[in-house]
């Protein structure tokens, strides 16, 4: 039975792994009894291949949850298949809204135009929560250099009421990500070369101009910056997250 104090568990884990490298944090976390059942959640986006490669080296059978919103770029779906095959990931699970949920909430596929929060909620947050109900912790690719509330990231975070988040790359720089990809000859998402440094659903993602923030192409023209699958203080992020 896991200790129900998330703060205590996160604190113990951070103390235990404070001086470990990202790969070692991941390697040990997938079998640490203080974490319990663990899954990786991956968007198969611009930088996702780093963690996916690490997982393929230490635990290729680890559950990898991939949210198919049915509004992704075709290139993302093809990239997901390519990366999973190349890395030998054996437990990639596609999750998403049910046909009944889509028919009820967004029958004509236009909800993102009038209420993007609601669209993200039923296409991403609800399916992910449903899938994560089987796990005690999940692994993310979030990093301090991404800014906002992420500036204070630790390797392990409480996600009330019952789960922990694991951020193996929390202390990496942008340069570390690019160097790892180059050194391991990892396949790049094809949209990155076309000006998409952050990739979400096709209707809500646009190219980024030189000098713009890498996430400025997400929900361009609105103050929305997060889809809601990440939490702050146990609450889903809605709108802009201030530093």
């Amino acid at each position: 039975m896991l200790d129900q104090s998330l703060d205590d568990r996160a604190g113990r884990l951070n103390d235990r792994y404070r001086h470990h490298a990202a790969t070692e944090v991941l390697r040990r976390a997938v079998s640490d009894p203080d974490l319990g059942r663990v899954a990786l959640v991956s968007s198969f986006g611009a930088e996702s291949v780093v963690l996916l490669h690490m997982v393929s080296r230490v635990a290729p059978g680890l559950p990898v949850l991939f949210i198919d919103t049915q509004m992704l770029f075709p290139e993302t779906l093809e990239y997901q298949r390519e990366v999973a095959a190349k890395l030998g990931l054996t437990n990639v699970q596609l999750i998403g809204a049910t046909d009944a949920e889509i028919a009820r909430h967004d029958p004509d596929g236009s909800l993102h135009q009038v209420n993007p929060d609601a669209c993200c909620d039923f296409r991403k947050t609800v399916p992910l929560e449903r899938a994560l109900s089987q796990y005690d912790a999940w692994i993310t690719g979030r990093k301090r250099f991404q800014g906002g509330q992420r500036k204070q990231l630790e390797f392990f975070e409480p996600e009330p009421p019952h789960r922990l988040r694991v951020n193996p790359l929390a202390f990496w720089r942008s340069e570390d990500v690019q160097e790892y990809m180059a050194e391991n000859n990892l396949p790049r998402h094809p949209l990155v070369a076309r000006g998409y440094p952050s990739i979400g659903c096709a209707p809500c993602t646009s190219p980024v101009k030189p000098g713009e923030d890498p996430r400025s192409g997400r929900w361009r023209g609105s103050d929305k910056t997060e889809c809601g699958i990440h939490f702050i203080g146990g609450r889903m992020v809605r709108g802009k997250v201030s530093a």
Side-chain angles (χ1 to χ4, degrees), residues 8 16 36 56 86 104 107 117 141 157 160 174 178 199 241:
D8 287 348
R16 189 177 306 158
S56 76
K86 181 179 178 65
R104 181 166 65 253
D117 277 344
E157 295 178 280
S174 178
Q178 298 307 314
I199 303 160
V241 180

Side-chain angles (χ1 to χ4, degrees), residues 35-120:
L35 280 171
R37 302 163 297 173
V38 182
L40 168 66
V41 177
S42 179
S43 66
F44 286 80
E47 298 178 344
S48 300
V49 72
V50 170
L51 267 183
L52 291 164
H53 180 260
M54 289 181 180
V55 165
S56 76
R57 294 294 183 87
V58 304
L62 188 78
V64 176
L65 308 182
F66 171 56
I67 308 172
D68 183 358
T69 64
Q70 299 193 36
M71 286 192 163
L72 298 176
F73 288 95
E75 291 89 343
T76 297
L77 297 172
E78 179 58 33
Y79 183 64
Q80 182 270 312
R81 292 187 287 267
E82 174 193 355
V83 169
K86 181 179 178 65
L87 299 184
L89 299 169
T90 61
N91 195 6
V92 178
Q93 302 175 19
L94 272 64
I95 62 176
T98 66
D99 291 342
E101 288 169 334
I102 293 173
R104 181 166 65 253
H105 297 293
D106 194 15
D108 63 356
S110 65
L111 182 61
H112 67 278
Q113 297 174 352
V114 294
N115 193 339
D117 277 344
C119 187
C120 286

